[in-house]
Amino acid sequence: VAGRVRPVTFVTEDGLQLRGSYWDARDDGAISLLLLHDKDADNTVWDPYVSFFLSRGWSILTFDLRGHGENLKHEVRTNLLPSGTPETPVEAGWPLDVQAALAFMARQAKATPTRRAAIGLGLGADLAYAAAARGWGTASTVCVSPDGVRAQAFAGPGVFQPRSVYLMYGALDPTGADAALAFAATAIYPAECMAYEGSSLTGIHLWDERQPEIVARSIAWIERTI
């Protein structure tokens, strides 16, 4: 697995240079998967799980959102923008990070842009959810413990219609339950919800608790809908 990974950088619309790790697919035209971490985490949360997705022959991109991990420092800002250009507030910049990551994936030699997918945890789920509702380029999405209100804020004004989304949450997590209710009213087929009974865990904690089933569900959803 380690031999197939390469460090990568890509630049956001507001001039930040973000670092990540990219695994090339075995074959042309394979699914390209973006993995999005939770708030106050970094891309290393995915390390135990990358091999499962690679076993499907997919390409994979992990990276740290601005303000996290390797992209914590201000030195990630490039000199591509005119001097005096104001800096984007961190939270407002997260959607730009995801858009830049998806654009990077589409440019890769073995990639097919119509076969991009995303899995997000917590904050990452909110961003993946916004991407699915706004047509940022994902054809299939798995959201674990999203906050629907925050996802809509990331998506910006306009109709919020997530498509091809699988939403998973702990049944005792009120934010996830609220998101599921709104999802039922706005989502476009294919769309499914999965509530894990008896769990109040969110994000990576729910993901870790419900292994290996939750990875299997994620893979099955993406392969069925892309």
Side-chain angles (χ1 to χ4, degrees):
V1 172
R4 287 172 58 188
V5 66
R6 56 185 167 95
V8 296
T9 59
F10 50 90
V11 179
T12 64
E13 186 182 292
D14 63 332
L16 258 65
Q17 183 171 276
L18 301 179
R19 286 184 260 181
S21 297
Y22 188 77
W23 289 259
D24 274 306
R26 287 194 297 259
D27 303 308
D28 291 349
I31 289 170
S32 299
L33 177 65
L34 175 62
L35 295 171
L36 295 167
H37 64 76
D38 203 345
K39 194 171 191 298
D40 301 324
D42 59 45
N43 73 82
T44 61
V45 301
W46 297 111
D47 289 352
Y49 304 107
V50 166
S51 60
F52 293 104
F53 304 118
L54 289 176
S55 73
R56 311 307 295 178
W58 300 356
S59 299
I60 299 164
L61 174 64
T62 66
F63 77 102
D64 297 330
L65 294 164
R66 67 181 70 191
H68 295 78
E70 286 194 329
N71 297 321
L72 186 60
K73 302 185 181 69
H74 289 295
E75 293 89 88
V76 297
R77 190 168 171 85
T78 67
N79 295 318
L80 298 178
L81 298 180
S83 61
T85 302
E87 286 197 29
T88 307
V90 171
E91 292 202 10
W94 289 330
L96 301 180
D97 298 349
V98 173
Q99 290 164 12
L102 288 167
F104 169 86
M105 289 165 62
R107 293 193 299 270
Q108 301 313 297
K110 293 183 178 179
T112 299
T114 56
R115 291 172 62 78
R116 286 174 291 173
I119 301 176
L121 308 175
L123 169 63
D126 302 338
L127 291 161
Y129 199 14
R134 277 290 179 274
W136 294 351
T138 47
S140 183
T141 302
V142 175
C143 297
V144 181
S145 307
D147 178 332
V149 174
R150 191 162 60 175
Q152 291 206 36
F154 288 142
V159 178
F160 190 85
Q161 287 188 318
R163 182 190 296 273
S164 195
V165 172
Y166 192 19
L167 193 157
M168 293 189 269
Y169 64 100
L172 304 180
D173 164 29
T175 302
D178 287 346
L181 283 173
F183 178 72
T186 59
I188 299 172
Y189 181 85
E192 286 185 22
C193 263
M194 172 68 189
Y196 282 100
E197 295 301 327
S199 182
S200 60
L201 296 178
T202 63
I204 188 63
H205 305 294
L206 180 65
W207 178 265
D208 285 343
E209 180 192 57
R210 298 297 172 149
Q211 293 302 338
E213 181 210 351
I214 201 167
V215 160
R217 284 182 176 275
S218 300
I219 289 171
W221 175 259
I222 290 168
E223 291 187 339
R224 178 157 71 85
T225 55
I226 211 160

